[in-house]
């Protein structure tokens, strides 16, 4: 029994020694899979997005041109009124009395003027007397017209169609000339206000197309037309642009709504080369990319000079590339110079999942 145990022990040691002596070398180095892309040329146009606010095309304060107590207000806040609609009325009694006095004085003066003119034709009055009564008739005519106008001004009409925004007084209150009775918003058309940075403002003549979109479901893009702009920056160092949209743009458009503004403009650097931002990595704070040699799948590091960063996740390259290279666009921070990689072939749009 003892001999059997010794033989088993010797056999185990023999197998163990042989196993260690025949150990296999380490696995080959891992070949990393990478996505690659061709270098693009910058397009002729670029788009930028901003946030804008819809405003009424105009808003006015409705006020009387005469003073006195308010007799009636015929609208309430939020009402839509058509052009020429009666908004409010002032107590007209004082102005009716004033018109009656002016009319009586007018009748008296015109009667006297007619008499003097007849006498003047007969050379019975002097030239001075004639000119005096003619001037008096003109003066009283002006006073009569003014009294008529003031009586008419006791009624306040809407100068255009729109919505009543605010009502500042009530029936019976006394108001002076020019005090705003109500605010009227013109909604026949709207304008959009948007603030843009100075770089784009300086090149505003290169803006080719501007559209806005409501922040609601199934909203479509609405074309905008430039109205004007402020040539001085605001407190945020931005320049305000005003764009107009027509009354039939979208029935859901109302003042105060926020909209997404898209501006398409012509690039000044359309000859630049463009690569994805994800293709860039930094070495000693200098931007670099990996270029793949397709013949042997070896990557090499190249220094580049970065230009403008675009809103679509791409960046222009000023120097370091010819334009015909193939670059790595993913996993760039895990690679080493002269490392062999495996290129991941892009999935065909007609063979999604690689089933064909």
């Amino acid at each position: 029994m003892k001999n059997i145990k010794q033989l088993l022990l010797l056999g185990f040691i023999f197998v163990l020694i042989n196993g260690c002596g025949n150990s296999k070398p380490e696995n080959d180095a891992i070949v990393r899979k990478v996505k690659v892309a061709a270098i693009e040329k910058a397009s002729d146009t670029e788009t930028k997005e901003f946030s804008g606010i819809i405003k009424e095309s105009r808003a006015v304060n409705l006020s009387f041109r005469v003073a006195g107590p308010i007799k009636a207000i015929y609208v309430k806040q939020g009402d839509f009124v058509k052009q020429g609609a009666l908004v409010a009325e002032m107590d007209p009694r004082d102005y009716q009395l004033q018109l009656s006095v002016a009319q009586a004085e007018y009748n008296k003066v015109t009667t006297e003027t007619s008499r003097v003119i007849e006498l003047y034709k007969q050379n019975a009055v002097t030239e001075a007397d004639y000119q005096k009564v003619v001037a008096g008739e003109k003066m009283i005519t002006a006073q009569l017209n003014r009294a008529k106008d003031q009586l008419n001004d006791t009624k306040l009409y809407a100068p255009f169609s729109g919505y009543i925004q605010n009502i500042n007084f009530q029936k019976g209150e006394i108001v002076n000339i020019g005090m705003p009775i109500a605010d009227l918003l013109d909604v026949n058309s709207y304008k959009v206000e948007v603030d843009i940075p100075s770089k784009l403002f300086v090149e505003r003549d290169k803006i080719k197309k501007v559209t806005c979109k409501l922040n609601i479901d199934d909203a479509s893009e609405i074309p905008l037309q430039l109205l004007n702009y402020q040539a001085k920056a605001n407190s945020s160092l931005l320049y305000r642009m005003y764009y107009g949209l027509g009354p039939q743009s979208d029935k859901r458009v109302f003042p105060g709504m926020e909209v997404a503004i898209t501006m398409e403009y012509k690039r000044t650097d359309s000859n630049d080369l463009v690569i994805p931002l994800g293709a860039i990595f930094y070495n000693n704070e200098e931007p670099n990319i990996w270029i793949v040699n397709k013949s042997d799948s070896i990557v090499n590091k190249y220094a580049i000079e970065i230009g403008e960063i675009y809103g679509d996740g791409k960046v222009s390259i000023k120097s370091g590339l010819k334009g015909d290279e193939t670059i790595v666009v993913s996993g760039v921070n895990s690679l080493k110079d002269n490392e062999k990689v495996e290129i991941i072939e892009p999935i065909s749009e007609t063979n999604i999942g690689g089933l064909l």
Side-chain angles (χ1 to χ4, degrees):
M1 186 67 179
K2 183 176 181 182
N3 291 334
I4 294 173
K5 289 182 178 180
Q6 289 177 345
L7 288 173
L8 291 173
L9 179 61
L10 289 173
F12 176 77
I13 294 173
F14 178 78
V15 172
L16 182 62
I17 292 173
N18 284 337
C20 293
N22 295 327
S23 61
K24 295 182 179 180
E26 295 181 359
N27 293 334
D28 295 337
I30 297 175
V31 178
R32 303 182 190 278
K33 295 182 179 182
V34 297
K35 291 182 180 180
V36 298
I39 298 171
E40 302 175 10
K41 187 177 180 181
S43 64
D44 293 336
T45 59
E46 183 184 359
T47 59
K48 287 188 178 295
E49 293 187 352
F50 303 93
S51 179
I53 297 292
I54 294 179
K55 298 283 188 178
E56 62 279 357
S57 60
R58 55 177 170 165
V60 298
N61 294 325
L62 302 180
S63 58
F64 287 105
R65 300 181 64 180
V66 292
I70 297 176
K71 178 181 179 181
I73 297 178
Y74 300 106
V75 296
K76 59 182 182 295
Q77 185 171 337
D79 281 355
F80 177 80
V81 295
K82 292 184 177 181
Q83 182 178 0
L86 182 60
V87 174
E89 186 176 3
M90 185 175 289
D91 189 337
R93 289 176 296 177
D94 290 342
Y95 297 98
Q96 289 172 342
L97 178 60
Q98 177 179 273
L99 177 59
S100 298
V101 173
Q103 185 67 58
E105 188 67 22
Y106 173 82
N107 294 338
K108 176 183 176 181
V109 170
T110 52
T111 300
E112 179 65 16
T113 301
S114 298
R115 186 183 69 82
V116 172
I117 289 175
E118 289 298 324
L119 292 175
Y120 177 75
K121 291 178 180 179
Q122 301 172 12
N123 294 322
V125 295
T126 63
E127 179 71 21
D129 291 336
Y130 170 75
Q131 294 296 338
K132 183 177 179 180
V133 295
V134 170
E137 184 179 27
K138 291 181 178 179
M139 183 180 298
I140 196 61
T141 301
Q143 291 177 357
L144 177 63
N145 291 334
R146 181 172 180 272
K148 290 178 179 180
D149 291 339
Q150 287 187 325
L151 180 59
N152 292 332
D153 289 339
T154 59
K155 293 183 178 182
L156 184 60
Y157 298 95
F160 51 81
S161 299
Y163 285 92
I164 298 296
Q165 179 70 8
N166 296 305
I167 297 178
N168 305 314
F169 292 92
Q170 297 179 355
K171 175 183 176 180
E173 290 188 286
I174 297 177
V175 295
N176 208 340
I177 298 174
M179 296 181 69
I181 305 301
D183 300 329
L184 180 63
L185 305 184
D186 185 357
V187 294
N188 290 319
S189 60
Y190 297 99
K191 62 182 178 182
V192 178
E193 296 181 359
V194 56
D195 295 334
I196 63 174
S198 57
K199 182 176 180 180
L200 183 56
F201 179 76
V202 171
E203 299 181 343
R204 60 189 178 277
D205 57 326
K206 296 179 181 178
I207 298 176
K208 301 172 60 177
K209 181 182 177 182
V210 182
T211 60
C212 76
K213 191 174 182 180
L214 299 175
N215 294 327
I216 55 179
D217 294 337
D218 69 18
S220 58
E221 288 190 340
I222 303 173
L224 302 177
Q225 299 294 327
L226 179 64
L227 298 175
N228 50 53
Y229 54 82
Q230 291 183 357
K232 182 179 179 180
N234 56 26
S235 58
S236 300
L237 302 181
L238 299 174
Y239 291 83
R240 180 154 297 179
M241 308 288 286
Y242 299 95
Y243 290 91
L245 36 60
Q248 303 302 323
S249 300
D250 194 317
K251 296 299 183 182
R252 297 170 294 181
V253 173
F254 288 96
M257 284 186 172
E258 186 176 12
V259 290
I261 307 292
T262 301
M263 290 187 177
E264 180 180 308
Y265 63 96
K266 183 176 178 59
R267 280 177 171 165
T268 57
D269 54 357
S270 57
N271 292 324
D272 286 351
L273 301 176
V274 177
I275 65 172
L277 276 170
I280 300 173
F281 68 97
Y282 286 83
N283 184 25
N284 295 327
E285 299 184 355
E286 295 294 330
N288 291 263
I289 59 168
W290 296 110
I291 295 181
V292 183
N293 187 339
K294 283 196 169 183
S295 62
D296 56 11
S297 298
I298 299 296
V299 296
N300 293 107
K301 178 176 62 177
Y302 283 83
I304 57 172
E305 181 185 355
I306 295 176
E308 183 179 358
I309 298 176
Y310 302 126
D312 55 0
K314 296 182 180 180
V315 59
S316 66
I317 305 301
K318 297 296 184 182
S319 64
L321 294 174
K322 295 179 181 179
D324 57 354
E325 299 93 341
T326 299
I327 62 173
V328 178
V329 296
S330 66
V332 295
N333 293 309
S334 303
L335 301 177
K336 297 179 181 179
D337 214 8
N338 295 315
E339 181 177 347
K340 187 177 181 62
V341 297
E342 179 182 347
I343 298 175
I344 301 175
E345 296 297 332
I347 299 175
S348 171
E349 294 182 0
T350 58
N351 187 23
I352 298 175
L355 300 178
L356 299 179

